[in-house]
Amino acid sequence: MPNLTVVGAQWGDEGKGKVVDLLTEKADVVIRFAGGNNAGHTLVVDGRTVVVHLLPSGVVRERCICMLGDGMVVDPAALQQEMESVAAAGIDLTGRLKVSGRAHLILPYHLILDALRETTREALGTTKRGVGPAYEDKAARRGIRVIELLRPDRLEKRLAVAVEEANARIARQGGKTVDFQDMLDFCVEHGKRLAPYITDVSHELDLAIKAGKSVLFEGAQGLLLDLDHGTYPFVTSSTTLAGGASPGIGVSPAMLGNVVGVTKAYLTRVGEGPMPSQDDGEAGHHLATVGHEVGATTGRPRRCGWLDLVALRYAVRVSGIRYLALTKLDVLAGMGAIKVCVGYRLNGQELSLPPMDTADWSLVEPIYREVEGFDSLEGVSDFADLPPAAKAYVRMIEQDLAVKVALVSVGPGREASLPLHGVW
Ligand code: IMP
């Protein structure tokens, strides 16, 4: 059976949750490969809203095995809380949640370090979930992995080093240090709770693939937040590329299948960093209010603006996107003429690529094309029934990016989705 990889093509919050939920109709396994509970995926199923941060968005499909891959960072307390909240929403996880023992842990001191950094001039506008500091510890080779929760006797020595390091940094920044014994108790307690779910996910996935199961690889955030390819340093601390699924799980890149990039019909961003097509006027206000542009994880208002084809072309190339899922087209309705950023201008020169230097990216002026707007898309359930200007908008994107739009979403529920092409 084929596999599929779904990634964000902008600065996150593109609506991956809904797209993954739709596409998992045909998936046996859905697996996340990077990031942690900095992500926030909102799913609306049968009028019920479920927000997941760590669990893959396939969680609402009871037949799907849900896996958290090796490249993730897992806050065990947040995972516990999320498992309880999906259980309260009537979703049964028994026997279908698997957490990689190789994933790294976000421990309470990582949250303190993340929050402290946000008070300094190095602030990035992070989600303050401890994701960055946990990946820093991983790269420094003092991170604690999920598997270590199961053997507290072995964990003690390494945890002591990690806590000492963290406390030194916390103290330097005037924060409240943590107690080693509290950290150990935290690990022991969560180890007991998570034990039934901890496994060798890379191996289990291999067995599933060999048994002919279909796998959906679910990315987090969006390409422009990628540690290497995004607007560094205003990025997250892990990979957001489709190809990142391979190292983030321990699976051959040949297994990733078609890549579906998710993009809004306009653009949003939370946190610091360049966003050339940001609109702080009436248009931005319309997008923010009609699109309910508030962060699913932090509740922060999102910066809003016009679709940026320069950034999107870059995302398509770097992530190898073959199909696009275009979300929130309905939000553009009733705005009158719609602007689309088709190029950048920097020091009088036109650019068709984002500049490598993020400082330059902050200085570029967007070059806009104005296209015809359209009115309400309410009740539209077939692409053929979209107003001609809305169809033309979709076709313009396809043509510019040389990719097929596989799905257009015109509302939050599953039913407000207009499929154009099969992607499996
Ligand atoms: P961190 O991932 O919490 O370290 O935050 C780094 C940057 O990525 C900040 O600008 C965040 O707002 C942004 N970010 C992280 N996760 C998401 C997400 O799921 N959606 C949108 N932005 C995100």
Side-chain angles (χ1 to χ4, degrees):
M1 288 292 284
N3 302 327
L4 203 62
T5 302
V6 180
V7 288
Q10 297 174 313
W11 274 292
D13 306 319
E14 299 92 348
K16 289 180 294 297
K18 173 177 171 174
V19 173
V20 170
D21 169 55
L22 285 168
L23 294 174
T24 44
E25 193 181 6
K26 292 194 184 146
D28 301 301
V29 179
V30 54
I31 179 162
R32 274 203 43 197
F33 52 86
N37 55 327
N38 46 353
H41 295 162
T42 307
L43 311 166
V44 181
V45 182
D46 302 330
R48 200 175 44 154
T49 301
V50 182
V51 182
V52 290
H53 299 281
L54 270 166
L55 296 169
S57 305
V59 74
V60 287
R61 303 266 186 200
E62 303 244 320
R63 65 184 276 266
C64 269
I65 303 286
C66 294
M67 298 188 183
L68 306 190
D70 306 15
M72 291 186 69
V73 283
V74 178
D75 177 337
L79 179 57
Q80 183 68 32
Q81 211 173 35
E82 201 168 312
M83 287 163 68
E84 284 164 14
S85 88
V86 299
I91 296 166
D92 187 8
L93 282 173
T94 317
R96 60 189 199 97
L97 174 64
K98 295 175 191 290
V99 181
S100 170
R102 292 189 185 89
H104 276 248
L105 288 169
I106 297 179
L107 292 171
Y109 50 84
H110 292 127
L111 279 88
I112 298 172
L113 284 165
D114 205 353
L116 281 172
R117 184 184 164 142
E118 284 303 298
T119 62
T120 70
R121 63 201 167 118
E122 286 188 335
L124 301 171
T126 74
T127 58
K128 298 190 197 168
R129 295 297 184 267
V131 170
Y135 277 118
E136 283 172 36
D137 274 0
K138 173 179 172 174
R141 273 61 58 88
R142 61 170 168 261
I144 309 290
R145 302 203 294 176
V146 169
I147 190 70
E148 294 178 83
L149 292 177
L150 303 182
R151 289 295 302 268
D153 50 329
R154 291 186 194 160
L155 167 68
E156 254 187 80
K157 215 163 113 193
R158 288 189 4 86
L159 185 65
V161 173
V163 169
E164 200 181 301
E165 271 294 324
N167 275 341
R169 280 179 288 157
I170 293 171
R172 246 195 334 266
Q173 294 178 69
K176 189 170 177 310
T177 55
V178 296
D179 177 64
F180 168 71
Q181 192 57 46
D182 287 349
M183 293 303 105
L184 188 59
D185 293 347
F186 177 93
C187 290
V188 172
E189 184 199 322
H190 285 288
K192 283 188 198 143
R193 290 193 186 157
L194 285 182
Y197 306 100
I198 299 172
T199 183
D200 183 342
V201 156
S202 166
H203 174 60
E204 296 236 4
L205 190 77
D206 184 50
L207 294 180
I209 291 173
K210 285 184 174 137
K213 306 286 186 199
S214 280
V215 184
L216 191 148
F217 300 95
E218 178 181 341
Q221 292 85 41
L223 182 111
L224 305 172
L225 287 172
D226 183 82
L227 182 59
D228 292 304
H229 303 282
T231 44
Y232 191 90
F234 306 104
V235 290
T236 192
S237 34
S238 58
T239 178
T240 63
L241 264 65
S246 174
I249 291 166
V251 66
S252 160
M255 291 297 156
L256 304 185
N258 280 332
V259 178
V260 179
V262 186
T263 173
K264 276 180 190 159
Y266 50 97
L267 189 60
T268 61
R269 173 163 205 173
V270 270
E272 303 299 317
M275 180 180 170
S277 63
Q278 180 167 341
D279 186 301
D280 293 326
E282 221 175 287
H285 180 70
H286 169 104
L287 297 170
T289 43
V290 179
H292 307 291
E293 294 298 352
V294 175
T297 298
T298 57
R300 288 179 290 176
R302 296 177 183 145
R303 298 152 62 189
C304 294
W306 302 107
L307 188 69
D308 181 340
L309 288 178
V310 183
L312 205 49
R313 271 176 224 140
Y314 174 67
V316 164
R317 173 171 63 79
V318 175
S319 222
I321 290 168
R322 179 144 186 222
Y323 296 98
L324 275 180
L326 185 71
T327 61
K328 293 190 142 182
L329 184 64
D330 54 306
V331 176
L332 290 177
M335 293 187 81
I338 298 167
K339 288 208 256 182
V340 187
C341 171
V342 292
Y344 293 158
R345 194 171 286 118
L346 181 67
N347 303 327
Q349 280 204 316
E350 279 194 24
L351 309 179
S352 58
L353 275 178
M356 244 192 314
D357 187 341
T358 302
D360 281 339
W361 204 334
S362 303
L363 294 175
V364 300
E365 276 173 54
I367 302 171
Y368 287 116
R369 179 188 302 160
E370 222 170 74
V371 299
E372 195 187 334
F374 44 85
D375 290 327
S376 172
L377 305 184
E378 214 173 315
V380 175
S381 57
D382 197 319
F383 184 78
D385 298 333
L386 282 177
K391 275 191 222 163
Y393 190 71
V394 176
R395 297 302 182 206
M396 173 199 65
I397 294 168
E398 280 190 320
Q399 211 167 15
D400 188 281
L401 303 171
V403 293
K404 285 195 157 65
V405 172
L407 179 93
V408 176
S409 166
V410 292
R414 274 182 186 161
E415 70 297 338
S417 315
L418 321 177
L420 274 78
H421 293 281
V423 292
W424 276 100

